Amino acid sequence: MTRAQRKRDHINYALTTGQQNKTGFEDIKFVHQSLPDATLDDTRLQSRIGELSLSSPIFVNAMTGGGGEYTSKINAELSLLARETGIGLAVGSQMSALKDPSERKTYEIVRKNNPDGIIFANLGSEASVQQAIDAVEMIEADALQVHLNVIQELTMPEGDRDFKGALERIHTIADRLSVPVIVKETGFGISKEAAMTLSGTSISAIDVGGYGGTNFSKIENQRRQRMLSYFDDWGIPTAASIAEAHSVSGLPILASGGIRNSLEIVKALSLGACSVGMAGAILKCIVDKGLEATIEEVNDLHTDIQYLMCALGCMRTEDLQKVPLILTGELYHWLAVRGLD
Ligand code: FNR
């Protein structure tokens, strides 16, 4: 199977069987406030990821890596979406373009279409320092995401089996790069132990990439003869993972994994995230409904986040971290067992 076919399979399965629906956000309620000291028009959507300043708390998370014309078209549309709505955008893994320069244009289009936008480069933790520098240069990226995807690699028939040395490589890359490094999971979540370990390196932020949305075990299992289905229910639900990572790391925490609507975005920000990544939900919207409809959906998300902020008496996205939350069900149980209640 060629790389392009594999990437196309990923997209097709991500849009169908590869989705979950339980992120832990269903176990969070806000406490209604009858006297919010806020005006809708004065609510501000600006957010910060460490030194980076963004005009929205939403970014499109890494998806389409090299894979020919189909992914190239999706990347071009995602970059126009980011430009028109002012949201950040992470490109998919650039390793293919580092190995095969003919694939560079799939990524370069993203910067060409959106010269002033916030764009993240993306590589796996197997990358060398030089590859990290080249990936950032390729798209004049504002930050580099380094993804962790042990469960995907294990379920992928042709995947990696050796995960040693990742932490040292990440640390060296973060030390040597001139832009911030964000370490992200890919749908299985970051534990407080992993967050603590990562906070001992030179990285600038953690994206929890939690369980509950796109499920790479399910996606890769579709491509196997003998399924490793025990990994299908494996992972830290996104809401629990935000709480885990936020409790120990002191680094900015980005929330992602199964985030689909404005209420979930506001809940993620209230749990301590400074920014929220959406991958599968945006991909589905672009593929099913097209660019114009997706621009409208993101604009609606922005409007709805402002309505929710106003109801909660928050003028700035970071004020959401102070609102009281009621946690119930499995999320409450998870956090109690983990000593985070
Ligand atoms: C991804 N994801 C991903 N992540 C990454 O760091 N590098 C990559 O190249 C890819 N490729 C990729 C392809 C496709 C088709 C999808 C749907 C996703 C993972 C993505 O960034 C995110 O972590 C997970 O999808 C979980 O978020 P959602 O989809 O539940 O919002």
Side-chain angles (χ1 to χ4, degrees):
M1 168 172 293
T2 65
R3 184 189 290 272
Q5 276 168 321
R6 191 171 84 220
K7 299 287 175 185
R8 216 183 154 120
D9 273 2
H10 283 165
I11 292 173
N12 291 337
Y13 290 130
L15 293 172
T16 52
T17 45
Q19 290 292 322
Q20 296 289 127
N21 217 353
K22 269 195 114 208
T23 48
F25 291 118
E26 60 281 359
D27 290 330
I28 300 176
K29 291 243 179 313
F30 289 113
V31 181
H32 170 63
Q33 304 296 341
S34 304
L35 293 168
D37 193 22
T39 316
L40 181 63
D41 280 351
D42 290 340
T43 51
R44 293 284 168 261
L45 289 171
Q46 275 80 11
S47 69
R48 293 197 72 80
I49 303 174
E51 66 194 54
L52 293 178
S53 187
L54 296 94
S55 59
S56 162
I58 306 172
F59 65 97
V60 181
N61 223 342
M63 282 185 281
T64 47
E69 267 180 41
Y70 184 55
T71 51
S72 215
K73 180 173 177 283
I74 291 177
N75 262 355
E77 293 198 331
L78 291 175
S79 62
L80 295 175
L81 171 71
R83 185 184 74 194
E84 293 307 307
T85 58
I87 63 179
L89 170 66
V91 298
S93 176
Q94 291 162 266
M95 193 54 96
S96 59
L98 294 176
K99 293 184 174 159
D100 174 1
S102 73
E103 295 214 350
R104 286 175 66 107
K105 54 185 185 304
T106 315
Y107 302 90
E108 287 165 348
I109 183 82
V110 168
R111 179 51 87 194
K112 204 165 152 230
N113 279 349
N114 191 10
D116 303 320
I118 296 283
I119 299 179
F120 303 151
N122 185 288
L123 284 174
S125 60
E126 73 282 7
S128 67
V129 172
Q130 193 54 50
Q131 287 172 326
I133 292 169
D134 292 347
V136 168
E137 270 178 16
M138 192 188 300
I139 53 170
E140 296 164 54
D142 300 281
L144 171 72
Q145 290 183 327
V146 178
H147 65 256
L148 307 175
N149 66 342
V150 172
I151 301 297
Q152 181 187 5
E153 292 294 342
L154 286 175
T155 40
M156 198 190 302
E158 65 275 46
D160 284 346
R161 299 290 182 261
D162 176 6
F163 305 102
K164 286 200 162 160
L167 189 69
E168 288 74 21
R169 284 192 296 278
I170 289 169
H171 181 58
T172 316
I173 287 173
D175 241 10
R176 301 269 298 279
L177 232 57
S178 57
V179 296
V181 170
I182 302 165
V183 171
K184 78 181 279 278
E185 245 293 347
T186 44
F188 300 91
I190 296 274
S191 66
K192 63 179 178 182
E193 293 81 5
M196 179 85 96
T197 306
L198 287 166
S199 66
T201 70
S202 315
I203 69 162
S204 298
I206 295 173
D207 176 346
V208 301
Y211 178 88
T214 304
N215 184 327
F216 269 98
S217 170
K218 283 192 161 182
I219 291 171
E220 295 299 348
N221 270 326
Q222 297 292 324
R223 305 175 53 241
R224 292 183 67 93
Q225 293 286 350
R226 192 179 76 79
M227 292 192 180
L228 310 186
S229 29
Y230 40 83
F231 283 136
D232 288 357
D233 300 323
W234 188 281
I236 307 172
T238 298
S241 188
I242 300 167
E244 293 231 358
H246 188 58
S247 70
V248 293
S249 85
L251 290 170
I253 301 300
L254 283 58
S256 72
I259 294 181
R260 296 177 179 87
N261 59 48
S262 53
L263 186 60
E264 289 168 349
I265 292 170
V266 172
K267 286 179 178 177
L269 296 170
S270 303
L271 280 171
C274 60
S275 186
V276 176
M278 298 173 78
I282 298 268
L283 181 67
K284 189 161 175 44
C285 198
I286 286 258
V287 171
D288 289 354
K289 301 185 190 167
L291 176 61
E292 289 306 317
T294 311
I295 291 173
E296 211 170 300
E297 296 237 349
V298 172
N299 287 335
D300 285 348
L301 284 177
H302 282 152
T303 304
D304 291 337
I305 294 168
Q306 289 181 292
Y307 274 92
L308 288 160
M309 288 171 64
C310 184
L312 291 164
C314 296
M315 310 302 275
R316 301 169 313 151
T317 54
E318 56 266 39
D319 298 339
L320 288 164
Q321 295 195 14
K322 295 184 211 119
V323 304
L325 301 173
I326 303 297
L327 308 182
T328 60
E330 283 179 33
L331 178 64
Y332 180 80
H333 180 78
W334 181 293
L335 298 185
V337 171
R338 297 285 282 162
L340 300 170
D341 49 342

